[in-house]
Each structure stands twice: as C-alpha cells, then as structure tokens.
Amino acid sequence: MSPSPSGPASKNARAVAAQLLDRIERDGAFANLVLASADLPERDSGLITELVYGVTRMRRALDHLIDGFVSDPPDLTTRNLLRIGAYQLHMLDTPAYAAVSETVDAAPRRHRGFVNAVLRRVADVEPAWPTDAVRLSYPDWMAERLEADLGRSEAHAALEQMNQPAPVTSRPDGYVQDQASQWVAELVDPQPGERVLDMCAGPGGKATALAGSSATVVAADHRQHRASLVAANAAKTGVSLGGVVAADGRHPPFSPHSFDRVLVDAPCSGLGVLGRRADARWRVKPDDVEELALLQAELIRAAFGLVRPGGVVIYSVCTMTQAETAAIDELVAQEHPEAKPAPINDPRWRPHGRGALILPQDHNTDAMFIAKYQAP
Ligand SMILES: C[S@@+](CC[C@H](N)C(=O)[O-])C[C@H]1O[C@@H](n2cnc3c(N)ncnc32)[C@H](O)[C@@H]1O
C-alpha cells in the first residue's frame, strides 16, 4: 500500500471520508464521481481520496478484520469509520495511536466508546484470512474465475496489483490514457490514406490517438452521449475525425466491406481496470461476463462484414477472462477460418490464444487483450 499522505489532517477528514463511503455503498454511487462532486478541503483532499478509494477496494478484507470484534452489526457510518481505522492500522503506515484516536474523534459522541474498543482490538490482531478472496478483497466468483482462467499465481498477482492505485499516464497531446490502451492504439497501426472504423469509440481515447495518423477515422458508439464525448475529445486534442456516428455496431449504418481497418474495442467486464475503478469489483456480476461475451461475438461478426477483402479487424478488451479473450479468438477461428491472425511481435505482450494479453502486474497498467486478423 502507498504511504499515508503526510501532514496533519483536520479532525473531520475521516468523518468526511465516512460520509462519502456511505453514499458509495448505500446509493450505489461511483467513487470517482462522489469524490469529484465533493467540496473537499484542500489540505485533506489527498487523505480523503486515499481513504475513500482504499477502503472501497479493501471493503471485504476490512470487514473480516472488524467482524471478529463486533457482536451487533453497527450502522453503516460507524462501520465505515471502523473500516477507515482498520485500513490505516493494517494497510497504511499510520501509527496505531493516531489511527485509533483520530478515527474515534471523527465518530459521533455516542459511538466513540464502541469505535475505540473495536479499533484497539483490531490494532492488535494478526490477520488470519479464511480465503485468498477475503485477503485480496474481491467477490468469490471473481477471484475463482480469474484463478481458473489465468492460474492461481498470475490471478493473485493481478488482483494484488489492482489493489494499488493505478498510475495516471498522459499522451503527448495531454489526453489521459492508460499506457496499455496507448499500446493497443499503436497496434491498430492505420496506414496513410486508409479508412478506419472505430466501432465502439466512446469516450474517444483510441479514436483520437488513431486520428493523429494520416488515415481517415470514423468513430461510432451506440450511446449518443458517448459519441458526443468522442467529438468533444477530438476537438480538445485538436484532431479531426472522418465522422462521429451514434450507432449500434451490431447493425452498422455503413456499406458492407467499406473500411480498410475496423477496431472493435468492445464493451467488456472491465476486470482489468479494477485498480482504476475502485468500486467496480462490487458492481460487476458473474452473468455480465457471459452476456458481454455474446455481445462481443456479435460485434466482431459485424466487423468482418464491414472490412474490405484483405483488410484488418482488430479486437480489444480491458479484461482478462477467457470467455472475453481466447474464446472470442476461437470463435473467429471457427467462423472465419480463412482470416489470418496477425502476429503481435512485441515483447510487452504475452501470447494468448492467437492474440496477446497484458496483465496488470506486467507493466503496472490496466489488463488488455488484443487480437488482429487479416480478412481473406
Ligand atoms: C471499452 S469502451 C470503448 C473505449 C474507447 N474505444 C476508448 O478508447 O476510449 C466500449 C464502448 O462500447 C460502447 N458500446 C456498447 N455496446 C455497443 C454496441 N452495440 N455498438 C457500439 N458501441 C457499443 C459503449 O458505449 C462504450 O463506449
């Protein structure tokens, strides 16, 4: 875990963090949006942000540490204060006296004795984790699925890595984009004069990167507001697109075989970006993976219908389940046996099916899968 932001925090920083955590859990609010809309006192914003993201990620492990010492379940705000205290005690380098006394001070007067008693016990406990999913703080299904798909040790390394805050990287044009996404855009490799379709383009990270080449890039997204974001981001980064369309990639409003290259940066379970989206692990459901795999299959099928003979289809996702990566590649092998997989000759990527995969622990980036095919 990263060290606690230094400097004294005002008394209510932990109380503010607990209120924001309440909203994330009770209202299902997104952690990043809750933080962005809160008017945080400047001197405490680093600590509050660290506590909100960290406690959201580690919620399950923290509850395990706490639950050994509470008989009656506390109300949500008190629970969040206990989690904040336990997080500082076991996952940040906060000295025990400070973690306990400052969290007790943030509690309503009538709960202070209880918070104090529980945190003193939590401070002394040597954690005994019943399972790796509890220790790493993920839902059972998610840990089990990644263990089955990647093997235990790679899965645990990925899950461990995504408990760290993900680094923020910016492109030379100032657009904030994860490094692995930038590598995907490089591998799309548009050639001068080509007509390229980005079929799932919102909010425009890859489309704006591709539009910097001398190809004509058409961007589509089935949600109108996501398509509008692509146009706004193109204006912001100063690139011009060959069109932005709100359209369902499964029923594309384009002539068959009218593109030289089609990128399907498909909607996915996002299990490779859990370091960046602190609350997502509690939001994604097991059935989402299967449903998204069906959608991904339909999108890649449509992409083959849009690319010219000899053109290139690129499939990418920011996840690492077998169903959304290698199984999609197997489907392409069955449905388009004559399409040639293009080798990804780049040591940053691990071969995966006939495509390539990056895991979060490889380069401290999001996880990403890419496969590239040349149509017959
Ligand atoms: C992984 S995101 C794309 C990220 C984008 N390429 C970038 O680099 O910024 C997937 C996108 O697919 C869109 N989407 C979902 N279903 C779709 C469909 N049936 N047709 C087209 N786009 C779809 C979502 O709205 C979302 O914006």
Side-chain angles (χ1 to χ4, degrees):
M1 289 291 152
S2 57
S4 176
S6 58
S10 55
K11 246 189 182 171
N12 71 1
R14 288 156 185 85
V16 172
Q19 281 163 16
L20 301 180
L21 287 162
D22 286 357
R23 285 179 49 204
I24 293 165
E25 191 163 348
R26 191 188 52 225
D27 308 340
F30 287 90
N32 60 330
L33 299 184
V34 162
L35 277 164
S37 66
D39 188 16
L40 301 182
E42 203 181 317
R43 62 188 283 241
D44 295 334
S45 74
L47 174 62
I48 294 171
T49 302
E50 160 90 70
L51 292 175
V52 168
Y53 281 143
V55 170
T56 299
R57 286 193 198 93
M58 301 313 292
R59 185 189 291 170
R60 188 174 186 198
L62 296 168
D63 281 350
H64 175 75
L65 291 176
I66 294 162
D67 283 342
F69 305 114
V70 297
S71 42
D72 294 330
D75 64 81
L76 185 59
T77 309
T78 308
R79 176 170 287 281
N80 275 325
L81 282 168
L82 292 174
R83 288 168 173 164
I84 287 170
Y87 181 71
Q88 294 172 98
L89 287 165
H90 285 274
M91 296 169 190
L92 293 180
D93 295 330
T94 313
Y97 68 88
V100 175
S101 74
E102 288 172 21
T103 307
V104 168
D105 284 351
R109 198 166 288 280
R110 66 185 184 287
H111 292 316
R112 285 189 188 158
F114 172 75
V115 170
N116 185 47
V118 174
L119 286 184
R120 282 178 182 279
R121 310 276 304 268
V122 170
D124 291 336
V125 77
E126 190 59 48
W129 304 109
T131 64
D132 289 316
V134 174
R135 174 177 63 86
L136 294 163
S137 194
Y138 290 85
D140 287 337
W141 77 266
M142 209 177 266
E144 284 163 12
R145 179 144 204 159
L146 292 180
E147 284 169 4
D149 287 357
L150 300 170
R152 264 174 76 82
S153 99
E154 293 289 14
H156 289 182
L159 295 171
E160 200 115 40
Q161 185 67 47
M162 293 190 297
N163 281 338
Q164 308 295 329
V168 176
T169 48
S170 302
R171 302 191 313 223
D173 64 4
Y175 190 91
V176 174
Q177 186 177 39
D178 178 69
Q179 183 64 65
S181 284
Q182 296 183 40
W183 293 335
V184 167
E186 277 173 28
L187 287 169
V188 175
D189 193 24
Q191 300 299 305
E194 278 188 346
R195 216 169 108 76
V196 178
L197 174 64
D198 184 347
M199 195 188 250
C200 304
K206 299 192 185 65
T208 53
L210 300 174
S213 66
S214 46
T216 300
V217 177
V218 176
D221 199 285
H222 84 143
R223 284 159 73 185
Q224 177 64 56
H225 94 273
R226 303 278 291 176
S228 308
L229 283 177
V230 180
N233 280 321
K236 220 186 270 176
T237 51
V239 295
S240 56
L241 293 165
V244 180
V245 190
D248 186 335
R250 292 170 294 183
H251 311 288
F254 306 109
S255 307
H257 311 296
S258 57
F259 289 92
D260 298 292
R261 219 165 271 259
V262 177
L263 168 64
V264 183
D265 189 34
C268 71
S269 60
L271 300 195
V273 295
L274 300 177
R276 207 172 293 290
R277 302 183 194 154
D279 47 274
R281 68 187 67 188
W282 311 120
R283 223 179 259 290
V284 185
K285 300 287 170 257
D287 289 350
D288 295 348
V289 175
E290 314 309 333
E291 278 168 29
L292 286 158
L294 290 174
L295 174 57
Q296 291 152 3
E298 287 186 75
L299 290 168
I300 200 162
R301 212 168 271 143
F304 273 95
L306 287 174
V307 81
R308 67 160 167 85
V312 180
V313 172
I314 301 102
Y315 172 79
S316 58
V317 279
C318 56
T319 192
M320 44 196 168
T321 64
Q322 198 73 359
E324 299 171 274
T325 61
I328 297 290
D329 173 53
E330 280 164 26
L331 189 91
V332 172
Q334 276 167 25
E335 294 188 358
H336 300 280
E338 52 324 321
K340 276 203 292 263
I344 313 286
N345 291 324
D346 183 328
R348 291 176 293 205
W349 294 81
R350 314 162 169 230
H352 191 72
R354 298 175 304 161
L357 181 70
I358 283 178
L359 294 178
Q361 64 268 33
D362 294 345
H363 312 288
N364 196 10
T365 64
D366 294 342
M368 207 57 82
F369 172 76
I370 187 167
K372 211 171 156 180
Y373 309 97
Q374 186 172 28

